[in-house]
Each structure stands twice: as structure tokens, then as C-alpha cells.
């Protein structure tokens, strides 16, 4: 499946937007945006762009627990469908940098952070069988923390240092979060990975732009 639209598709979107502006559309509202599509469904989703004749044109597809980004324009509309054409949802681009994920039958969408969502995760379901694996990996990680620094060269005095986030950077990050905080998706972790406690708390996230 294509992760990004073809050059022809991008050109078509640009030409359609220019035509729209020529017919009275707003140049300020119809130019320059970036949109990401996440997929928490159990199957691949197809993303179609709705052109100015109201026709759906396929631009990308997204595998489960994956995401795809493309350049677009404010006020453009996209439709989500299954591979057999079943309608899942749609979205209109409202922000310069926007992330969206269609709602499907995944329990982590219908009951965000709830028990049904947690119980759907393999780490929760197989907790007893996986515990020995988690403990082994944690012990290996502790040993690496102890021995690895002895074999690494320091390039700075401190390595890491906590500093305040510059206001202009915080404004960008917070603005993106406020605009996309309702478009959360499940953060997929291998069941055997112990780095976060996905067996007792649901890991959710908002994808950042590529």
C-alpha cells in the first residue's frame, strides 16, 4: 500500500484548490496543511480524498496500529473506508497540522482507558505467562545501565540536563496537542516488552507529524 499520495495526486489536489480559489474559495483558508491518519481498527483502512466534484479518490491506506501523513489543504475532506468499500468515517481538515483516527469497533475507542480496553491487550490477558520474560528483560536492562557507561565516551560534561522549554517551542507543542487531543490512538507495544506497564494501564498517544 502507498504511504504517500503519488505526484499526480498531489498535483490534482493543488490544481483543484487553485480552481476552487478562482471560483471564490479563500486563499487564506484553502492552502497549506499537513494531516496524519491513524488506524486502531482490526483491518487496513483506505483513505479517500473528496475532490470538488464530490468524487472519492484513493490517496493512501493505513495498516492496523500504523499511521500515514500527507500534505493537503485546509477545508479538504477525507473519507475512511474498509477495503471492501464500507464507510467508517470522514474528516475535514481544520488545522495546519492535524491528526485523526477513525472510530471503529476497537474497545479502546469505545471505552477509552476502560476495563474492556485494558482486557483486550495481550499483556493483560497473558500477564502470568509473560511475567518471567519481563523480569528477565528488566534485569538485563539494569545490568546494561551498570556496565554500559564504562565503555562509552562522554562528549559533554553532563550528558542530559533539565531546562525550561523555550516559550516558542511550548506554544507549538501545546497548540498541536490542544488541536488534536481528541484523536488518540492505542500505542502498540509487544506483549513481551516490559518498558511500560501496558498490562495494568492502557498506553495511548497522539502521533506527531513526520
Amino acid at each position: 500500500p502507498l504511504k504517500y499520495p503519488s505526484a499526480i495526486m498531489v498535483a490534482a489536489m493543488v490544481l483543484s484548490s487553485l480552481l476552487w480559489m478562482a471560483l471564490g474559495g479563500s486563499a487564506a483558508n484553502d492552502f497549506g496543511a499537513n494531516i496524519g491518519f491513524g488506524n486502531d481498527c482490526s483491518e487496513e483502512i483506505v483513505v479517500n480524498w473528496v475532490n470538488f466534484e464530490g468524487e472519492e479518490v484513493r490517496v493512501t491506506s493505513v495498516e492496523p496500529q500504523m499511521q500515514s501523513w500527507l500534505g493537503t489543504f485546509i477545508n479538504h475532506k477525507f473519507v475512511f473506508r474498509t477495503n471492501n468499500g464500507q464507510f467508517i468515517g470522514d474528516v475535514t481538515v481544520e488545522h495546519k497540522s492535524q491528526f485523526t483516527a477513525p472510530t471503529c469497533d476497537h474497545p479502546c475507542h469505545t471505552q477509552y482507558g476502560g476495563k474492556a480496553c485494558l482486557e483486550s491487550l495481550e499483556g493483560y490477558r497473558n500477564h502470568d505467562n509473560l511475567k518471567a520474560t519481563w523480569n528477565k528483560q528488566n534485569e538485563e536492562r539494569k545490568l546494561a545501565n551498570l556496565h554500559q557507561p564504562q565503555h562509552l565516551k562522554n562528549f559533554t560534561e553532563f550528558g542530559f540536563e533539565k531546562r525550561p522549554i523555550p516559550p516558542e517551542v511550548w506554544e507549538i507543542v501545546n497548540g498541536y496537542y490542544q488541536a488534536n487531543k481528541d484523536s488518540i490512538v492505542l500505542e502498540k507495544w509487544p506483549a513481551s516488552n516490559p518498558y511500560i506497564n501496558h498490562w495494568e494501564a492502557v498506553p495511548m498517544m497522539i502521533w506527531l507529524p513526520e
Side-chain angles (χ1 to χ4, degrees), residues 31-187:
F31 191 80
N34 194 29
I35 187 167
F37 307 101
N39 182 7
D40 266 351
C41 301
S42 57
E43 60 179 310
E44 180 185 62
I45 63 170
V46 173
V47 181
N48 295 332
W49 169 58
V50 180
N51 66 21
F52 293 103
E53 287 72 45
E55 302 167 334
E56 293 185 25
V57 182
R58 178 169 174 158
V59 290
T60 190
S61 59
V62 189
E63 296 287 342
Q65 266 69 59
M66 299 298 290
Q67 45 98 27
S68 179
W69 286 83
L70 57 85
T72 184
F73 301 87
I74 299 295
N75 294 330
H76 276 205
K77 183 178 180 180
F78 295 87
V79 173
F80 308 116
R81 295 188 181 276
T82 62
N83 275 318
N84 62 11
Q86 181 181 350
F87 177 81
I88 302 175
D90 55 39
V91 64
T92 299
V93 182
E94 299 176 347
H95 308 288
K96 293 290 185 181
S97 189
Q98 184 170 331
F99 180 78
T100 186
T103 301
C104 57
D105 57 358
H106 196 292
C108 290
H109 267 174
T110 56
Q111 297 187 37
Y112 163 61
K115 187 175 181 180
C117 174
L118 179 62
E119 290 177 345
S120 72
L121 304 183
E122 186 180 352
Y124 177 90
R125 299 196 311 268
N126 296 326
H127 178 275
D128 292 341
N129 294 329
L130 290 167
K131 193 171 182 179
T133 300
W134 295 334
N135 290 339
K136 182 176 183 295
Q137 288 197 48
N138 274 325
E139 289 303 316
E140 291 173 350
R141 180 166 56 89
K142 291 176 183 177
L143 288 173
N145 290 340
L146 178 64
H147 297 296
Q148 193 176 51
Q150 302 173 22
H151 306 285
L152 295 178
K153 179 180 178 180
N154 293 331
F155 291 95
T156 62
E157 181 180 357
F158 298 107
F160 293 93
E161 184 179 34
K162 291 175 63 176
R163 293 185 178 181
I165 298 176
E168 62 274 16
V169 175
W170 172 248
E171 183 178 355
I172 294 172
V173 173
N174 188 51
Y176 181 82
Y177 169 75
Q178 294 299 332
N180 297 284
K181 61 184 178 181
D182 294 326
S183 297
I184 54 177
V185 294
L186 180 68
E187 183 180 17

Side-chain angles (χ1 to χ4, degrees), residues 15-33:
L15 289 173
S16 295
S17 287
L18 292 176
L19 177 61
W20 176 253
M21 288 185 282
L23 295 174
S26 168
N29 291 332
D30 288 86
F31 191 80

